[in-house]
Amino acid sequence: MRSSASAASEVMMEIEASKPQGQGLVVGGLSPLSETLWKEKTNTELVGDVSARLTWKDLTVMVTLNNGDTQNVLEALTGYAEPGSFTALMGPSGSGKSTLLDALSGRLAANAFLSGTILLNGRRANLSFGTAAYVTQDDTLIGTLTVRETISYSAQLRLPDRMPWSEKRALVESTIIEMGLQDCADTVIGNWHLRGISGGEKRRVSIALEILMRPRLLFLDEPTSGLDSASAFFVTQTLRSLSRDGRTVIASIHQPSSEVFELFDRLYLLSGGKTVYFGQASEAYEFFAQAGFPCPSLRNPSDHFLRCINSDFDKVKATLKGSMKIRFETNDDPLEKITTAEAIRTLVDSYRTSQYCYSAKEKVEEMSKIKGTVLDSGGSQASFLMQAFTLTKRSFVNMSRDFGYYWLRLVIYIVVTICIGTIYLNVGTSYSSILARGACASFVFGFVTFMSIGGFPSFVEDMKVFQRERMNGHYGVTSFVISNTLSAMPFLILITFISGTVCYFMVRLHPGFSHYVFFVLCLYASVTVVESLMMAIASIVPNFLMGIITGAGIQGIFMLVSGYFRLPNDIPKPVWRYPMSYISFHFWALQGQYQNDLKGLVFDNQTPDMPKISGEYILEYVFQIDVNRSKWIDLSVIFSMIIIYRIIFFIMIKINEDVTPWVRGYLARRRMQQKSGNQNTTVAPYGLTQSPSLRTYVTGGGTSKNNR
Ligand SMILES: Nc1ncnc2c1ncn2[C@@H]1O[C@H](COP(=O)(O)OP(=O)(O)OP(=O)(O)O)[C@@H](O)[C@H]1O
């Protein structure tokens, strides 16, 4: 078998061989090779009529706070981003950079309401789910995969099926080179037990994943944060080169060095949600000078701009003056004479009446009038089957490499079942074994299945990757649910088969192969139900600590009404018996296993004065089991619960994506109209939603078939 390194070097040789004369691979930009490959293999033109012209006018974002108050995070912002340009959003922490990016890309939080107009190519458009690529601040990647594997799986998930694998591989390799990841291409990303690539490299992997599909519109939230100056320059240069290929690139940048600042085409400077400056980055220097805040010599211009508009400096100065009795030297710097809050007011007012503001508004009007191409989903072009297959494979590889996902659980399960086996060793058929058998089954289907909750943190990590990829339109919910179910199956079968066998034969439960198979199947079904239950919980409570507490609480209640801690007929009828005990999978597992174990056995204390007791009698009169119902029906109920919980997971995600934004949109419209009293205020549904179905409404385009 060829090693991945040799395969990679072959690909690189292919790349070298296919290079046009005199044209090298461009490091820090889209290589001619990948550009050509992309156009040839996907029949997609990258520039021209599919370019993305984005405008936003009077964009206001209001958030509702926990105490019911509202706060304007962005106030009446107007601006635009053109193809072939790189726009940087800058401002102090909390100025609204991320919120502006979120508003433009249709990713606002549930409590945020948007008003104003956002147009893409002169039309309203929902930019989520792949129409625009978005690189978030957090690098949510699968820790057990190498850089090359991460990008390769992403290519398989999104590139068209008809594109041969060798060409997909070539695209992957060229993307690795574009992002300067050659040296760490075969290193794992890293997780809690695997030492992986550096933070800067993770950032570059996240960007590589999004530029792989050559999106026409690219949003990046702080792509250079946490990078050293060389890496930050490299990343920014790459983004600039991407924009030069006719793409529209908008990125929020925290504290750029002067070299990085020089790479910006346009600068959007924000403070407290207001526009301080929007225009050519190179002209910002002049604007600040005109407004009375010239940049002192020997100061980095971007540092100066941020210094002028960061009101935290007022607090810092006041604290220093008060507590440390520091006296600030007065010099010619205007910022020493006035507070930063006053400087911000002056700059905001200056901008409002400046030629920069007028020309921006004019340009927005002009761009809004031109109705360009409707950009449909730039998301996945792979078929549903290819997505499901790739996701299953990726998930299986991850599960097999992540020690905490299943291997640790396997070890614990074996240890615990050996303990059970030792305690109930060769339980027999004496009178005392009746209670022992009941307790043993209750422990196995109660506590042993409960331990499956331990996989929740790993699943939450998977969910984060899913959410990032889903929001960027890489694949749909169905593919994720199917892949998760299939990839987990071999591990769950292995865990339950080994631990079930250890337990069954050490305890010597009911002899007979079919009894043993039932026990193992019931254990498998119960453990899978717990997994599915936790999956459904994760779709509602994505925080892993809260998820574990919720899952533990639900299972505790299920155990209580399972018929062991209180006999079925004694469980209070309202709520606990009907419906709780029937919803509890423990109840069905115990009903089935008691029958499986006791039916056909005879209990005898080997003393002449004590009668023999049949298992049927105990089932009916001691454990109060419905003996007329087949144990296989009990088992099928547990299997149906697996499907039900997976459907709940699917529905919850769909509700979050489709229904919640619709409700929020409706509430926002009412709230904004009430607040402003102006019926003409446009509350843009596209800005509030992440719904693929609303995309159909706003763009007239269809929902991608792969986003099912
Ligand atoms: N959904 C929300 N609910 C409540 N407050 C919010 C919400 N979104 C943003 N804010 C508030 O709005 C302000 C701007 O936040 P935002 O994250 O956009 O700033 P930022 O400029 O990106 O900051 P940073 O550089 O630190 O990431 C902050 O004060 C933040 O607390």
Side-chain angles (χ1 to χ4, degrees), residues 155-171:
Q156 287 178 67
L157 275 173
R158 295 186 286 160
L159 291 169
D161 295 3
R162 64 177 181 277
M163 191 172 177
W165 172 230
S166 59
E167 276 141 22
K168 285 182 187 168
R169 217 163 44 149
L171 249 179

Side-chain angles (χ1 to χ4, degrees), residues 63-65 71 73-74 91-100 109-112 137 221-222 252 254:
V63 293
T64 46
L65 305 174
Q71 179 200 333
V73 178
L74 299 180
S93 190
S95 58
K97 302 180 293 294
S98 305
T99 309
L100 177 56
N111 64 336
Q137 259 183 50
D221 197 2
E222 302 195 4
S252 66
H254 214 268

